């Protein structure tokens, strides 16, 4: 997959070459502008950028993970998301999706990294095991630690796709037998954007790449390093079951008619009130569904340490109810004042936020129930 012949093309040229019409292109930029959270007035700017800017090469590496992030990515309902990114925009190297394998694949990667040194985006999927010198994840005889360091050296920025590379993921679950860590535990000198979720939403992944391509800079991040436009709200804030939560209508069991009828899943363990993600507003398969809509409570898969937060089907609080004002950012600011610069800030922020929200939940929930009984 040498990119030397492709690298000078603009996004638009690549799309047209693929056989899409200009109308398809405009539809795509309109769609992505909305997904990126911009006003309709920004469509022109995004379209122009896609027409005129050279594609940004992306190197996508895989470590300890289940490949669900790639699965989610290629299943975007919009044809151009997959086509554009996979075939034409930028995926110069991705072990899972590229046609080449073995030495050919490695050569393609080395070539792309050399030609685009300092300019490519590195996407990392999966955590990195540190224990026993990293032997628990090796590719072609090299450890994930080595490969990550080499790939990161020439990257303009790193996107950590999925909760594994963002937070450590399921393999970091207690007692974390292989010593799995997220990317920012190893790479300290590059901008890192977290795109968590297990897996993340396809259009969120594409949207982050497109934001960078369009504006030449990283999107605004929250205090945990996630793009605000996609992680600025809790699942609870955009959940279609929210009116039932507010009305105090909760499903008591999975097989109940109430659960089918859209009653709130809070009592069945839903972590939506403490999870920041765009599932409720974007969803998968062109917004057709997301876990809660499919009948299962949110397990907080976009949050740090969610994997140790089980049992998932038991509610964490006595009574549900959450104010909708706080954001991950305001929570982060409070904590940063206490322990600025420490890696532990992220975990603390989440825990403090959760505790605060739990208290609010109890108060608000009690009021809910009182109102209902009155
Ligand atoms: Fe992790 Fe991605 Fe979860 Fe899986 O690879 S975020 S285990 S969906 O796929 O990294
Ligand atoms: Fe939706 Fe869960 Fe909030 Fe209920 S608690 S409204 S199911 S996010
Ligand atoms: Fe994950 Fe919860 Fe969304 S489990 S996919 S953050 S609904």
């Amino acid at each position: 997959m040498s990119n030397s012949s492709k690298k000078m093309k603009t996004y638009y040229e690549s799309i047209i070459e693929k056989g899409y019409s200009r109308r398809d292109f405009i539809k795509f930029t309109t769609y992505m502008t909305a997904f990126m959270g911009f006003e309709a007035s920004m469509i022109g700017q995004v379209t122009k950028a896609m027409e005129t800017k050279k594609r940004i090469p992306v190197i996508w590496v895989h470590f300890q993970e289940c490949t669900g992030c790639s699965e989610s990515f290629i299943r975007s309902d919009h044809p151009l998301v997959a086509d554009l990114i996979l075939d034409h925009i930028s995926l110069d190297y991705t072990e899972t999706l590229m046609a080449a394998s073995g030495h050919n694949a490695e050569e393609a990667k080395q070539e792309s990294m050399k030609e685009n040194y300092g300019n490519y985006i590195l996407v990392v999927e999966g955590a990195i095991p540190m224990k026993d010198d990293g032997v628990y994840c090796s590719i072609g005889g090299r450890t994930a630690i080595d490969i990550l360091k080499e790939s990161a050296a020439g990257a303009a920025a790193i996107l950590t796709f999925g909760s594994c590379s963002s937070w450590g993921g399921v393999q970091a679950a207690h007692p974390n037998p292989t010593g799995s860590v997220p990317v920012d535990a190893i790479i300290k000198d590059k901008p890192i954007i977290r795109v968590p979720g297990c897996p993340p939403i396809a259009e969120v992944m594409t949207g982050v790449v497109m934001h960078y391509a369009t504006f030449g800079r990283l999107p605004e991040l929250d205090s945990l390093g996630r793009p605000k436009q996609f992680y600025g709200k809790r699942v609870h804030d955009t959940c279609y079951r929210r009116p039932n939560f507010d009305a105090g209508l909760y499903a008591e069991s999975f097989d109940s008619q109430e659960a089918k009828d859209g009653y709130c899943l809070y009592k069945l363990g839903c972590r939506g009130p403490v999870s920041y993600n765009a599932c409720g507003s974007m969803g998968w398969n062109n917004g057709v569904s997301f876990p809660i809509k499919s009948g299962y409570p949110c397990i907080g898969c976009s949050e740090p340490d969610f994997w140790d937060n089980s049992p998932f089907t038991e509610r964490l609080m006595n009574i549900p109810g959450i104010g909708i004002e706080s954001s991950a950012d305001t929570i982060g600011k409070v904590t940063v004042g206490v322990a600025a610069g420490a890696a532990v800030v992220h975990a603390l922020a989440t825990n403090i936020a959760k505790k605060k929200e739990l208290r609010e939940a109890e108060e608000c929930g009690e009021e809910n129930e009182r109102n209902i009984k009155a």
Side-chain angles (χ1 to χ4, degrees):
M1 193 187 285
S2 169
N3 62 59
S4 53
S5 59
K6 291 196 271 175
K7 71 177 178 174
M8 297 309 290
K9 288 184 183 133
T10 66
Y11 294 92
Y12 179 62
E13 286 165 348
S14 296
I15 289 166
I16 296 301
E17 186 181 82
K18 174 77 178 171
Y20 290 101
S21 65
R22 178 161 180 86
R23 188 182 165 80
D24 295 327
F25 169 68
I26 300 292
K27 269 166 76 178
F28 176 72
T29 54
T30 304
Y31 170 87
M32 287 310 300
T33 303
F35 268 130
M36 287 192 283
F38 297 126
E39 302 288 330
S41 58
M42 291 293 291
I43 293 170
Q45 195 175 335
V46 173
T47 303
K48 186 149 197 268
M50 292 288 109
E51 275 176 325
T52 55
K53 299 213 172 177
K54 307 296 179 202
R55 70 192 188 94
I56 297 174
V58 173
I59 303 285
W60 185 323
V61 293
H62 294 257
F63 300 129
Q64 277 183 316
E65 36 90 19
C66 78
T67 316
C69 305
S70 297
E71 290 285 344
S72 172
F73 185 71
I74 61 176
R75 277 165 182 72
S76 166
D77 187 70
H78 196 288
L80 266 174
V81 169
D83 260 342
L84 197 66
I85 300 287
L86 291 181
D87 292 336
H88 288 279
I89 279 193
S90 54
L91 274 188
D92 290 332
Y93 178 87
T94 170
E95 287 141 357
T96 313
L97 303 170
M98 66 193 295
S101 62
H103 294 301
N104 286 345
E106 187 55 29
E107 273 167 29
K109 182 187 176 193
Q110 294 296 340
E111 184 190 340
S112 183
M113 289 198 304
K114 201 166 139 204
E115 284 181 7
N116 300 295
Y117 196 87
N119 297 316
Y120 62 84
I121 290 179
L122 177 67
V123 167
V124 182
E125 197 179 333
I128 304 96
M130 300 294 280
K131 201 172 168 193
D132 298 330
D133 298 325
V135 295
Y136 300 110
C137 181
S138 300
I139 301 159
R142 298 179 63 201
T143 65
I145 305 170
D146 254 12
I147 296 169
L148 173 63
K149 284 182 179 167
E150 179 194 63
S151 310
I158 301 176
L159 309 183
T160 57
F161 278 4
S163 289
C164 298
S165 51
S166 294
W167 313 124
V170 172
Q171 49 284 320
H174 181 76
N176 193 356
T178 62
S180 299
V181 297
V183 169
D184 69 350
I186 298 171
I187 305 298
K188 307 285 187 189
D189 59 349
K190 297 283 174 181
I192 296 176
I193 306 165
R194 289 189 163 115
V195 188
C198 189
I201 298 165
E203 286 76 9
V204 169
M205 294 188 262
T206 307
V208 177
V209 175
M210 282 193 65
H211 187 287
Y212 190 70
T214 303
F215 301 106
R217 58 181 158 75
L218 303 175
E220 199 183 348
L221 306 179
D222 73 6
S223 60
L224 300 188
R226 304 176 287 200
K228 272 186 179 173
Q229 72 238 68
F230 301 115
Y231 296 90
K233 288 186 174 158
R234 286 172 291 198
V235 173
H236 186 64
D237 298 332
T238 53
C239 178
Y240 78 108
R241 294 187 192 238
R242 178 64 181 266
N244 282 332
F245 165 86
D246 290 336
L249 298 173
Y250 310 114
E252 301 283 345
S253 68
F254 284 106
D255 55 359
S256 63
Q257 189 55 45
E258 287 80 9
K260 286 182 197 156
D261 289 345
Y263 279 35
C264 173
L265 302 178
Y266 192 83
K267 289 188 175 179
L268 297 174
C270 187
R271 268 72 160 155
V274 289
S275 301
Y276 293 84
N277 205 346
C279 318
S281 52
M282 293 170 74
W284 276 262
N285 302 316
N286 200 19
V288 165
S289 197
F290 68 110
I292 293 169
K293 202 165 176 185
S294 300
Y296 200 82
C298 172
I299 62 170
C301 77
S302 57
E303 295 298 313
D305 299 330
F306 81 89
W307 47 88
D308 282 333
N309 203 10
S310 63
F312 294 121
T313 51
E314 280 179 24
R315 67 176 163 163
L316 295 176
M317 330 168 193
N318 287 335
I319 303 168
I322 296 290
I324 59 167
E325 319 74 34
S326 62
S327 68
D329 213 29
T330 54
I331 291 155
K333 274 182 194 146
V334 170
T335 315
V336 166
V338 177
V344 75
V345 159
H346 296 324
L348 278 176
T350 307
N351 289 339
I352 287 171
K354 280 182 180 160
K355 280 183 186 148
K356 182 169 176 281
E357 288 168 356
L358 295 185
R359 266 200 320 275
E360 287 174 357
E362 286 185 21
E363 286 161 16
C364 180
E366 280 163 11
E367 196 184 328
N368 262 1
E369 291 220 329
R370 272 199 303 277
N371 289 341
I372 290 156
K373 281 179 191 154

